[in-house]
Amino acid sequence: MARRKRLTPPRPDLLEVETTPVTAGPLSAPPIAQVAAEAASTAALQALSDEMTRAREAGRFIEALPLEAVDASYLVRDRLGVSGEEQEALVASLKARGQQTPIEVVALGEGRYGLIAGWRRLMALRQLFEETGDARFAKVEARVTRPGETAEAYRAMVEENEIRVGLSHYERARIAVKAVEEGVYPHDRAALDSLYSSASRAKKSKIRSFVSLVRHLDGTLRYPTAIGERLGLSLVKRLSEHRDFSAHVIQVLKRENPADSEAEQTALKQSLSAKTETKKRPESRPKTEEQRQDAIAVHWSDKSKEIRLSGVGVDAELAKELKAWIESRSCRS
């Protein structure tokens, strides 16, 4: 009987199964959980972006802007000037401690900004950068607001200066006059009521009196901010009584050619005390109701070279007559 042979596979390990120990690891999140997490992150980023936009528009967002990007002539400035001593003190403070209080600007688009408040700080930083070339003074910290009504910008500028350093009566009256000339307000009373809404009735009345002084002598006076209340009201009273008193004052100032504020005030007092041949203004009679209804207010802007008429007396018939007059005048020229 033949012997049996034992069969062996060509590879002894062929039938062996290699086992790898399973270690515990993080379980992958279900797809719905991943989508929810991404949606939450996107919503949070959008909420943050919206809040930053609201903060910027509300003036709560402070940015560092290049000095040359800020237009200091965006508004007619209410402050006619500051003393050299005050400005030197501000420059020294900025140089030692940096800018502590931001200026306020309005975004004009294309990287440009219009100055609303902070003229002195902006000028001081420009002076420091020009003198030192230090990069610390190349930019100004500013609260950026969105463009709004020009009237709001004027009010913000006036409030800033009223809080920090009080303006003279002349400066207060002048900004009201300029705002009317720019067409921001229809007349002086509206400008004063809006710009100085928180002022007392007595203070507002004094500012209104100085409006006449501004309209007659602005550009002639060299040191108008030095005119005190008593002298200013005396000049206003004489201007209201004599129609050519302003011409007399201008003549006296040209003759005296004052070199400083004291000399100019002396010349103004001389014009008040001198016996002039000025003609008294005719006494104004109260307007009838019909005259009040037909009243027309004329507003002239030096900047835009525009004349604007307002009032119930402005109608199609007046427009027709004005058009005919302008055409006839153009033909003569």
Side-chain angles (χ1 to χ4, degrees):
M1 186 174 183
R3 293 182 62 186
R4 295 180 180 177
K5 292 183 179 181
R6 185 178 180 181
L7 298 178
T8 59
R11 288 182 53 194
D13 61 344
L14 182 64
L15 299 178
E16 294 180 3
V17 178
E18 182 179 357
T19 60
T20 303
V22 179
T23 59
L27 299 176
S28 60
I32 187 65
Q34 293 181 357
V35 172
E38 293 174 359
S41 299
T42 302
L45 289 173
Q46 184 61 47
L48 178 60
S49 176
D50 293 343
E51 178 59 27
M52 291 182 66
T53 300
R54 285 192 294 270
R56 191 174 191 271
E57 293 177 349
R60 293 183 285 115
F61 196 82
I62 298 177
E63 299 184 39
L65 305 177
L67 294 176
E68 63 274 12
V70 180
D71 182 5
S73 62
Y74 172 66
L75 296 179
V76 178
R77 310 314 305 176
D78 51 356
R79 185 168 296 282
L80 294 178
V82 293
S83 69
E85 185 177 348
E86 289 179 354
Q87 195 66 9
E88 288 176 6
L90 178 58
V91 169
S93 174
L94 288 171
K95 188 174 183 179
R97 303 174 62 238
Q99 185 183 351
Q100 301 298 309
T101 306
I103 66 173
E104 186 174 348
V105 297
V106 60
L108 303 178
E110 299 181 355
R112 300 292 299 169
Y113 302 87
L115 179 66
I116 295 177
W119 181 83
R120 292 179 60 220
R121 276 160 283 166
L122 179 64
M123 293 301 105
L125 284 170
R126 286 180 176 177
Q127 178 183 336
L128 282 169
F129 183 63
E130 183 177 351
E131 291 176 353
T132 66
D134 193 328
R136 289 187 303 150
F137 309 122
K139 293 187 176 183
V140 57
E141 294 183 356
R143 288 196 304 269
V144 182
T145 59
R146 63 183 176 182
E149 293 183 359
T150 309
E152 293 179 1
Y154 272 101
R155 282 196 297 270
M157 176 180 63
V158 170
E159 289 172 2
E160 165 83 3
N161 278 323
E162 287 291 329
I163 292 172
R164 294 188 176 279
V165 183
L167 301 172
S168 65
H169 285 326
Y170 189 95
E171 288 172 306
R172 294 185 179 104
R174 184 176 182 273
I175 193 58
V177 170
K178 294 301 179 182
V180 172
E181 291 178 354
E182 294 294 322
V184 180
Y185 300 101
H187 46 72
D188 295 337
R189 181 177 292 276
L192 292 169
D193 289 343
S194 175
L195 295 174
Y196 305 103
S197 57
S198 59
S200 65
R201 182 176 299 181
K203 182 177 180 180
K204 198 179 298 183
S205 176
K206 292 171 184 176
I207 299 172
R208 184 178 292 109
S209 297
F210 270 74
V211 165
S212 175
L213 196 61
V214 173
R215 292 201 179 278
H216 284 90
L217 298 177
D218 193 45
T220 300
L221 296 168
R222 297 180 183 178
Y223 311 96
T225 59
I227 298 176
E229 180 182 317
R230 185 173 181 179
L231 176 58
L233 294 178
S234 297
L235 291 168
V236 169
K237 184 175 184 295
R238 188 67 64 85
L239 286 168
S240 66
E241 295 173 346
H242 300 273
R243 65 177 64 185
D244 55 349
F245 179 68
S246 60
H248 169 66
V249 174
I250 293 172
Q251 183 180 3
V252 172
L253 291 174
K254 285 184 177 180
R255 183 183 70 237
E256 298 298 327
N257 191 25
D260 53 36
S261 60
E262 292 184 5
E264 183 170 80
Q265 290 182 64
T266 300
L268 292 173
K269 292 175 182 177
Q270 289 177 1
S271 67
L272 285 169
S273 60
K275 294 182 179 180
T276 61
E277 300 296 329
T278 56
K279 299 179 181 178
K280 286 192 174 182
R281 296 183 183 275
E283 295 183 2
S284 58
R285 299 177 180 178
K287 291 183 178 181
T288 65
E289 185 64 27
E290 182 179 356
Q291 289 173 326
R292 283 195 294 268
Q293 290 178 354
D294 291 338
I296 299 174
V298 180
H299 313 285
W300 161 252
S301 172
D302 287 325
K303 185 175 181 180
S304 61
K305 302 299 181 184
E306 293 179 348
I307 297 177
R308 186 163 58 88
L309 306 179
S310 63
V312 293
V314 180
D315 52 19
E317 185 64 26
L318 176 62
K320 182 179 179 181
E321 292 177 2
L322 284 175
K323 183 179 180 181
W325 178 81
I326 293 173
E327 289 177 349
S328 64
R329 191 172 185 273
S330 300
C331 292
R332 289 199 304 270
S333 60

